Structures are given as structure tokens and as C-alpha cells.
Amino acid sequence: MSDQANAIATIIQAEAALAAAHLTLDLATFDRLLHPDYVIIQPGGARETKAETLASLATGNRRWELAASDELNVQLYGNSALVTGQWRGKGRNGTEHFDYRARFLSVWVREDGAWRNVAYMATAVE
């Protein structure tokens, strides 16, 4: 497998691991795959850092029945990669039920041989 194909496969596996981590609230996986400078722009426009994301997940208020990404397209740019795809999430946030689909842009960087997610933004789709 070429270096490029290997990098793409690694990033796709990492995206799948992040989705799966929602289902079990696997904070260790989030911590390992999110870059220290990670930032997410939530669908409503709020900005959240890695520390804020981990703290939010650690509360256990959000429970996922479904968390999955598909239609992934990975574009490599040296030690950076842009991933576009579709996200599907379903579950409860406190007492509120959620069930949504979104298109997303996910930015990955390779440092010290490891790919980590540094930025993520999603837009809900109907």
C-alpha cells in the first residue's frame, strides 16, 4: 500500500473510531485522536475546545444510540488532510431527544507519525 493510501486508510479508521467512541463515551479515544489545539464549531455556531469537548462528554448527560459517519472523502496535503462526509447522530442530551444528519468538514494533521483531528465543523442537513 502506498504512503498516501496508508494515510487515507488511517484517517478513515480514526474517523470511525471517533464515531464509535460516542456510543461508549470512550474519553481515552477522544483524548488520543483529538489534537491539543482541537476546536469544533457546533451546528449553532458555538466554538468548543478539546478540554470543553472532553468535559462535556464526561458529564454523561449525552447518550448516543447512533453515531456514524459515511460518504467520507479524504484529501491529503502533506501532513494535513481535509475530510468531508456525512454524520448521523441519535440519542438524548439530558432530557431532550436528538436525531440529526449533518455534512461535516474535519481537519487532520500528522505530527510525530500520528494523525490527530485539529478542527471540525458540521452543518445540519434535512
Side-chain angles (χ1 to χ4, degrees), residues 20-50:
H22 286 82
L23 298 172
T24 59
L25 295 177
D26 181 353
L27 298 180
T29 294
F30 284 107
D31 190 43
R32 177 175 54 85
L33 292 175
L34 300 181
H35 191 277
D37 296 331
Y38 173 81
V39 63
I40 181 173
I41 307 301
Q42 297 286 5
R47 180 184 181 278
E48 196 173 274
T49 65
K50 177 181 179 177

Side-chain angles (χ1 to χ4, degrees), residues 27-124:
L27 298 180
T29 294
F30 284 107
D31 190 43
R32 177 175 54 85
L33 292 175
L34 300 181
H35 191 277
D37 296 331
Y38 173 81
V39 63
I40 181 173
I41 307 301
Q42 297 286 5
R47 180 184 181 278
E48 196 173 274
T49 65
K50 177 181 179 177
E52 291 166 333
T53 298
L54 291 174
S56 174
L57 291 165
T59 66
N61 288 337
R62 194 175 309 122
R63 291 289 183 196
W64 301 81
E65 298 167 28
L66 173 68
S69 59
D70 61 14
E71 298 183 19
L72 300 179
N73 181 0
V74 180
Q75 296 293 319
L76 293 176
Y77 302 94
N79 287 322
S80 300
L82 294 179
V83 179
T84 57
Q86 181 173 252
W87 169 258
R88 176 78 195 279
K90 183 177 180 181
R92 290 202 168 281
N93 189 6
T95 60
E96 293 185 33
H97 180 75
F98 61 86
D99 185 356
Y100 68 94
R101 288 182 331 139
R103 292 281 180 194
F104 70 85
L105 173 65
S106 185
V107 181
W108 292 79
V109 294
R110 180 172 43 197
E111 293 180 341
D112 301 322
W115 285 99
R116 298 177 86 185
N117 189 266
V118 72
Y120 185 92
M121 184 172 184
T123 301

